[in-house]
């Protein structure tokens, strides 16, 4: 078997779609691992690839390659590093549709959402192209007589990212361009369920001229992750995934002396006030709760209906949700696409059973798969849920929307703040005073005012709080730059040597 994927541009995506390989020191390699994990097309249920489950030894080789590349890369002037990012951005634009189709193929989401996530990822590359400004230090002159203070930002060394299945193109791009733009070298561990998009992205990065070893990919699951967490040469770990894994990553990486950012799960409320503009609010709730089949950390998972219009809201939600077009992501008309895997579909269905057993009213029941092939579920609405029910507290990550009723905005806020999570929360209202009260009192890190998916842009941090984030510096924005750099602060004094200093007469003669 060949160890290098050497092929023409024309057949690249086809070959990539069938071959999942580690990328170490600039070479695509078949890892030694005998075990593999199937990758499915969620729309059909067919196996489209096999992810090799790499071991700590594979991780070590990738980290060694990154460590070898580090001196030259970190020593390359930042202006030259960003030229590669500019070319990378152009290639991502050129292959925009192809990347979107690949995301749809392996993740199942609608093509609009898939190209949308590629767009969000490209915006991080654009942000990282500003690295000369982003890496600027600070100065204060004359902090004592004749002494100046300056700070400089330096890259850390070898850094790693471990990413989830639900945004296979965007989430690697939350960190990759910032990490390498700042001069680090990088090891990526994609989700074993969606390994293809990140391979294609890295191929394009190499086509843009990135030196070998600066970016490496190690595929796999738990063993590969633990290999990263325990590797002494990895300086920082960026993680995005579920809460239990995030806690494990945070603890283990910190115990091994690493800097960590661990972005975790969510249970986001959408608070609907009686003065909300109903039609547009329903549109937003539909796409928040059922877009990407609910497999988004920003998905609205609980509607909190405030005041007397709850019945009207529930009826409108039911009418709209029951009409959602269920179908494959490749069809632009599909509004509800499949879940990632059969095991996950089973979990989601069990949550609906649980909600019913807990006393919620199943006003729309999506448990019967609406299509025979693939991993589809229909939309489900669980009315009259409350904070004592697990369905209203735990992350389900599927097309299931619970509805909680609250008498006042403060009651809605108290319900939301009772959640262990704090990723996102939205309010729908026409009242500036209500929106301000919400912002002042809600415990969530990303807020939407009449917006169902409150995702920040590349120049802001992705800002979950409470149980949705473990660490200090978030991904993206200036936080992202700080996460992948460390400072040196310098105190400078120049002793005056009378014999070498220019005389006042000399300065005057020179016209100074
Ligand atoms: P996951 O935690 O199962 O997997 C994430 C990564 O961790 C994968 O690369 C996986 O291989 C690895 N992993 C899984 N179990 C592990 C273990 N026991 N030990 C070591 N590594 C392990 O998450 P997922 O199912 O891929 O993604 C969905 C989750 O991600 C949801 O909870 C969602 O809310 C969360 N998410 C959060 C954000 C955010 O920004 N906060 C963004 C996207 C997704």
């Amino acid at each position: 078997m060949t160890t290098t994927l050497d092929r023409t541009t024309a057949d690249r995506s086809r070959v990539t779609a069938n071959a999942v390989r580690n990328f170490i020191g600039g070479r695509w390699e078949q890892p030694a691992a005998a075990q593999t994990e199937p990758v499915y097309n969620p729309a059909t249920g067919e196996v489209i690839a096999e992810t090799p489950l790499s071991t700590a030894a594979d991780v070590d080789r990738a980290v060694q390659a990154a460590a070898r590349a580090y001196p030259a890369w970190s020593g390359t002037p930042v202006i030259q590093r960003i030229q590669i990012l500019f070319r990378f951005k152009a290639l991502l634009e050129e292959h925009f549709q192809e990347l979107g189709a690949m995301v749809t193929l392996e993740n199942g989401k609608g093509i609009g959402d898939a190209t949308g996530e590629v767009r969000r990822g490209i915006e991080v590359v654009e942000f990282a192209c500003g690295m000369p400004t982003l890496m600027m230090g600070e100065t204060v002159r004359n902090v004592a007589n004749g002494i100046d203070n300056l700070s400089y930002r330096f890259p850390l060394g070898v850094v790693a990212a471990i990413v989830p299945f639900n945004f296979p193109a965007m989430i690697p791009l939350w960190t990759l361009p910032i990490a390498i733009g700042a001069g680090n070298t990088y090891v990526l561990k994609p989700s074993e369920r969606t390994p293809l998009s990140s391979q294609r992205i890295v191929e394009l990065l190499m086509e843009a001229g990135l030196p070998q070893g600066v970016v490496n990919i190690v595929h796999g699951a738990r063993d590969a992750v633990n290999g990263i967490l325990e590797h002494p040469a990895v300086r920082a770990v960026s993680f995005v995934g579920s809460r239990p894994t995030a806690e494990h990553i945070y603890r283990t990486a910190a115990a091994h002396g690493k800097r960590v950012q661990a972005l975790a799960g969510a249970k986001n409320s959408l608070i609907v006030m009686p003065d909300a503009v109903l039609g547009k609010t329903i549109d937003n709730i539909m796409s928040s709760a059922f877009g990407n089949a609910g497999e988004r950390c920003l998905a609205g998972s609980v509607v909190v209906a405030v005041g007397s219009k709850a019945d009207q809201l529930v009826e409108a939600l039911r009418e709209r949700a029951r009409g959602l077009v269920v179908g494959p992501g490749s069809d632009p008309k599909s509004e509800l696409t499949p879940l990632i895997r059969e095991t996950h579909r089973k979990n989601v269905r069990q949550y609906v059973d649980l909600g019913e057993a807990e006393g919620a009213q199943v006003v729309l029941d999506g448990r019967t798969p609406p299509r025979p092939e693939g991993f589809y579920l229909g939309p489900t609405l669980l009315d009259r849920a409350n904070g004592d029910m697990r369905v209203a507290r735990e992350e389900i990550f599927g097309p299931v929307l619970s509805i909680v009723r609250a008498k006042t905005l403060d009651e809605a806020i108290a319900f939301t703040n009772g959640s262990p999570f704090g990723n996102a929360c939205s309010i729908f209202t026409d009242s500036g005073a209500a929106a301000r009260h919400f912002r002042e009192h809600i415990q969530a890190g990303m807020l939407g005012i009449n917006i169902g998916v409150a995702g920040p842009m590349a120049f802001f941090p992705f800002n979950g709080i409470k149980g949705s984030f473990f660490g200090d510096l978030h991904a993206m924005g200036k936080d992202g730059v700080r996460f992948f750099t460390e400072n040196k602060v310098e105190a400078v004094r120049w002793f005056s040597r009378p014999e070498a200093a220019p005389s006042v007469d000399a300065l005057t003669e020179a016209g100074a």
Side-chain angles (χ1 to χ4, degrees), residues 163-166 189 192-193 239-242 245 264-265 297 395 462:
V163 296
F165 77 84
N166 65 330
K189 208 297 285 172
E192 64 278 25
R193 293 182 263 184
F239 170 82
V240 183
S242 63
T245 320
C297 70
E395 184 174 45
F462 201 87

Side-chain angles (χ1 to χ4, degrees), residues 162-167 171 174 189-193 220-223 225-226 229 239-246 248-249 263-266 296-298 395 397 423 446 462 464 468:
I162 300 157
V163 296
F165 77 84
N166 65 330
F167 284 89
I171 292 184
W174 276 358
K189 208 297 285 172
S191 169
E192 64 278 25
R193 293 182 263 184
R222 189 180 303 208
D223 288 350
V225 169
N226 291 334
L229 302 181
F239 170 82
V240 183
S242 63
R243 182 174 170 175
T245 320
H248 165 66
I249 302 279
L263 287 70
R296 280 199 289 230
C297 70
L298 291 175
E395 184 174 45
F397 226 53
N423 217 34
M446 290 171 279
F462 201 87
S468 293

Side-chain angles (χ1 to χ4, degrees), residues 8 70 86 120 122 132 142 205 214 227 284 287 290 331 455 501:
T8 64
Y70 179 70
F86 279 115
R120 297 282 90 77
I122 290 175
N142 217 34
L205 189 52
V214 175
N284 272 269
S287 74
F290 300 117
D331 182 346

Side-chain angles (χ1 to χ4, degrees), residues 152-177:
Y152 300 89
R153 284 195 179 282
F154 285 76
L156 300 175
V158 179
V159 299
I162 300 157
V163 296
F165 77 84
N166 65 330
F167 284 89
M170 178 184 80
I171 292 184
L173 289 172
W174 276 358
T175 53
L176 189 157

